[in-house]
Amino acid sequence: MTDNITSVGGGRPEAGVSALKGPTGAGAPAETRGKTTIADGVVAKIAGMAAREVPGIYNLGAGMARAFGAMRERVPGAGGGGGGAVTRGVKVEVGERQAAVDLDVVVEYGVSIVDVAGGVRTNVISAVERMTGLEVVEVNIAVDDVHLPDEEEQTEPDEGRVR
C-alpha cells in the first residue's frame, strides 16, 4: 500500500483546484480510494467564515472593496447571493498539499490588534486544515481600518430612508 498525495499524472489538475489523494490499492479503506479536488473558492469561504467568528473583527475587505460589495449586494442580479460577501477581503493560494491565506480586516476600536490577529490566524488555520486536510503555511493579515462605535450610527439613517 502506498500513500500518494499528488495528483495523477504528476502535475496540477487545474488552476485554482487542489488534488488530495490517499492510500491506494485493494487493502485501502473505501473512503481513500480516489481523488478529491478542492477549489480555491472553497478555501476562501472557509477562511472568511473562520476569520469573522473571531471577537474583535468588525468586517473583512479594504474600504473600496467593502463599498463596492455593499452596492453590489443591493442590486438585484448583480451577484449579491453568490458568496461574494463571505470571500470579500480574502485571497488564497492553494497548491496540491498546502494553502496560504491573505486577509484584509477591519477591527473594532479598543481591541488588541495583536490578540485579534493571533485569534484569526489560529481559527483560520484550524478550520482550513480540519475541513480540507491542506496544510496552511501562512495567514497574512492586513488591518485596513478600525471601526469606531459612532460610525455605525451615521450609516443607519441613510439605509432606513429607502424601503
Side-chain angles (χ1 to χ4, degrees), residues 2 20 23 32-33 48 51 55 91-92 97 126-127 132 142 151:
T2 62
L20 304 176
T32 62
R33 295 184 193 182
K91 295 182 190 87
V92 298
R97 294 177 299 236
S126 173
T132 67
E151 287 179 334

Side-chain angles (χ1 to χ4, degrees), residues 4 8 11 15 22 26-27 33 36 50 56 74 92 95 101 106 113 117 142 144 148 151 159:
N4 294 330
V8 178
R33 295 184 193 182
T36 303
R74 291 182 182 154
V92 298
V101 180
V106 178
I113 293 174
D144 291 319
L148 303 175
E151 287 179 334
E159 292 175 358

Side-chain angles (χ1 to χ4, degrees), residues 41-160:
V42 172
V43 176
K45 282 185 179 182
I46 294 167
M49 290 299 294
R52 284 177 172 81
E53 292 173 352
V54 176
I57 293 292
Y58 175 73
N59 208 342
L60 269 64
M64 289 303 289
R66 286 195 325 270
F68 285 128
M71 285 191 304
R72 192 171 39 248
E73 288 170 8
R74 291 182 182 154
V75 176
V86 175
T87 59
R88 188 181 317 125
V90 182
K91 295 182 190 87
V92 298
E93 189 175 328
V94 180
E96 291 179 4
R97 294 177 299 236
Q98 297 178 326
V101 180
D102 295 324
L103 299 167
D104 291 322
V105 301
V106 178
V107 297
E108 294 283 356
Y109 175 78
V111 299
S112 166
I113 293 174
V114 173
D115 291 345
V116 170
V120 168
R121 278 191 185 90
T122 300
N123 213 36
V124 167
I125 290 169
S126 173
V128 171
E129 288 184 348
R130 177 178 48 84
M131 293 177 73
T132 67
L134 295 167
E135 175 193 6
V136 178
V137 293
E138 65 183 10
V139 176
N140 299 311
I141 300 171
V143 179
D144 291 319
D145 200 359
V146 174
H147 175 257
L148 303 175
D150 62 340
E151 287 179 334
E152 197 166 13
E153 294 171 10
Q154 294 172 356
T155 59
E156 280 184 24
D158 292 339
E159 292 175 358

